[in-house]
């Protein structure tokens, strides 16, 4: 559902010129490609078709949303191990035919799967910057959307970041929020509005636990992350050099070595061009370190 939603979002936005859907279930890939292609006359010119890995030759970007669903009673570690096996097959198959492509990882848990993909790619001589995950791009969008509703401001003018794990330990960087170029506290004074601690907690919950509510109601999340993927692909294809909270491999985050998590990154045609430091306050810095430690522990469980 994530892959097909991303493909649909790219068609609607006119991202790219040719889109190939690859799936272990070839009949599903053919059906999705045909259905999405029928939307092209209502959007932008694009060729949409199903294919196999050979069809990725010459691709500029490959989105990886392959993975398995969690079985009843299965632990997170067991799911991780099964998805790791999928990636150990999928990533080399992609690089065999598209060695110069930027890989955008969307499989959950996205930080850990991106870490694994980057290590597999590095073993083949692929620069680590050419592999990144969607990270907290969706969480950041949720944060901006909820803040914009509370403040009565177009979300395009609300700047806010969610960092760390795409998951329960993620960090909403309240200290860095700005609206129309003004720090949040200054903007609140100007509009004579008070954002109480309870209201902040509601927003935090709305960002941090959104996926749980959506999954409970409809089984999976895919429209939001599909749109996030389309944004990432568009930035790469047009060398837009945008600042996105994607996740990428870092040598060190606050003393935690060799870990992949979301930070502000400069993203362009070659993937992640630069990682930017975020001047967090003390409590946020502590929370980000904790998030990095959680991810490092999960990575250790895979023997990476």
């Amino acid at each position: 559902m994530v892959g097909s939603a991303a493909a649909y979002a790219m068609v609607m936005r006119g991202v790219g010129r040719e889109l190939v859907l690859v799936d272990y279930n070839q009949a599903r890939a053919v059906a999705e490609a045909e259905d999405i292609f029928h939307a092209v006359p209502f959007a932008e010119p694009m060729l949409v078709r199903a294919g196999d890995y050979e069809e990725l030759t010459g691709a500029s970007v490959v989105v990886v949303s392959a993975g398995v669903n969690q079985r009843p009673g299965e632990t997170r570690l067991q799911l991780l191990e099964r998805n790791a096996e999928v990636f150990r097959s999928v990533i080399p198959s992609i690089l065999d035919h598209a060695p110069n492509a930027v890989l955008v990882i969307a499989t959950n848990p996205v930080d850990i799967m991106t870490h694994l993909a980057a290590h597999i790619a590095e073993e083949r001589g692929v620069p680590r910057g050419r592999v990144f995950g969607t990270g907290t791009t969706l969480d950041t969008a949720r944060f901006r959307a909820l803040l914009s509703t509370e403040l009565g401001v177009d979300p395009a003018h609300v700047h806010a970041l969610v960092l760390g794990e795409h998951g329960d330990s993620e960090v909403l960087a309240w200290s860095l929020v700005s609206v129309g170029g003004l720090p949040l506290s200054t903007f609140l004074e100007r509009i004579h509005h008070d954002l109480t601690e309870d209201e902040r907690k509601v927003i935090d919950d709305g960002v941090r636990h959104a996926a749980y509510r959506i999954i409970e109601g409809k089984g999976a999340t895919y429209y939001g992350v599909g749109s996030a993927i389309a944004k990432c692909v568009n930035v790469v294809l047009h060398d837009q050099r945008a600042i996105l909270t994607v996740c990428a491999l870092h040598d060190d985050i606050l003393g935690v070595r060799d870990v992949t998590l979301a930070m502000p990154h400069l993203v362009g045609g070659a993937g992640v061009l630069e990682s930017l430091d975020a001047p967090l306050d003390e409590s946020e810095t502590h929370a980000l370190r904790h998030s990095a430690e959680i991810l490092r522990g999960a990575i250790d469980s895979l023997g990476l």
Side-chain angles (χ1 to χ4, degrees), residues 198-249:
D198 285 343
E199 289 169 334
R200 291 176 186 243
K201 288 179 179 178
V202 169
I203 291 174
D204 184 286
D205 178 72
V207 174
R208 195 180 305 274
H209 301 127
Y212 295 112
R213 288 187 291 272
I214 294 169
I215 290 170
E216 182 179 356
K218 57 182 267 187
T221 68
Y222 37 88
Y223 293 126
V225 71
S227 298
I229 291 167
K231 172 65 175 179
C232 291
V233 173
N234 193 53
V235 166
V236 173
L237 289 181
H238 292 93
D239 192 21
Q240 192 174 331
R241 304 179 73 84
I243 308 297
L244 301 174
T245 53
V246 298
C247 61
L249 181 59

Side-chain angles (χ1 to χ4, degrees), residues 53 56 62-64 89-99 101 103:
Y53 289 105
L56 301 181
V62 178
V63 174
V64 185
S89 171
V90 168
I91 301 301
S93 297
I94 292 169
L95 295 175
D96 282 344
H97 300 283
L103 304 190

Side-chain angles (χ1 to χ4, degrees), residues 44-195:
E44 302 293 335
M46 187 180 295
L47 176 62
V48 184
R49 59 188 174 88
D52 209 334
Y53 289 105
E54 291 81 2
E55 308 298 321
L56 301 181
T57 301
S60 299
V61 184
V62 178
V63 174
V64 185
S65 58
V68 295
N69 292 326
Q70 194 163 4
R71 296 167 176 166
E74 185 176 39
T75 67
R76 188 168 182 262
L77 176 56
Q78 290 169 330
L79 175 64
L80 265 177
E81 290 171 342
R82 289 202 298 133
N83 267 336
E85 285 305 308
V86 171
F87 265 43
R88 291 188 178 104
S89 171
V90 168
I91 301 301
S93 297
I94 292 169
L95 295 175
D96 282 344
H97 300 283
N100 298 315
V102 172
L103 304 190
V104 178
I105 311 300
T107 302
N108 275 324
V110 69
D111 306 284
I112 301 161
M113 301 314 297
T114 301
H115 190 91
L116 174 59
H119 274 284
I120 294 172
E122 276 195 314
E123 290 174 355
R124 289 172 161 252
V126 177
R128 65 171 54 179
R130 289 229 313 270
V131 181
F132 67 86
T134 51
T136 57
T137 52
L138 176 56
D139 311 82
T140 292
R142 288 168 175 159
F143 192 14
R144 292 175 61 195
L146 291 173
L147 271 172
S148 72
T149 299
E150 178 65 33
L151 301 175
V153 177
D154 183 341
H157 302 291
V158 177
H159 295 276
L161 303 174
V162 178
L163 308 175
E165 176 196 16
H166 172 56
D168 292 345
S169 72
E170 65 190 20
V171 180
L172 278 66
W174 284 97
S175 67
L176 301 181
V177 174
S178 65
V179 184
L182 299 174
L184 177 61
S185 57
T186 303
F187 182 80
L188 290 172
E189 290 175 3
R190 296 286 177 86
I191 64 171
H192 307 292
H193 184 79
D194 181 27
L195 195 59

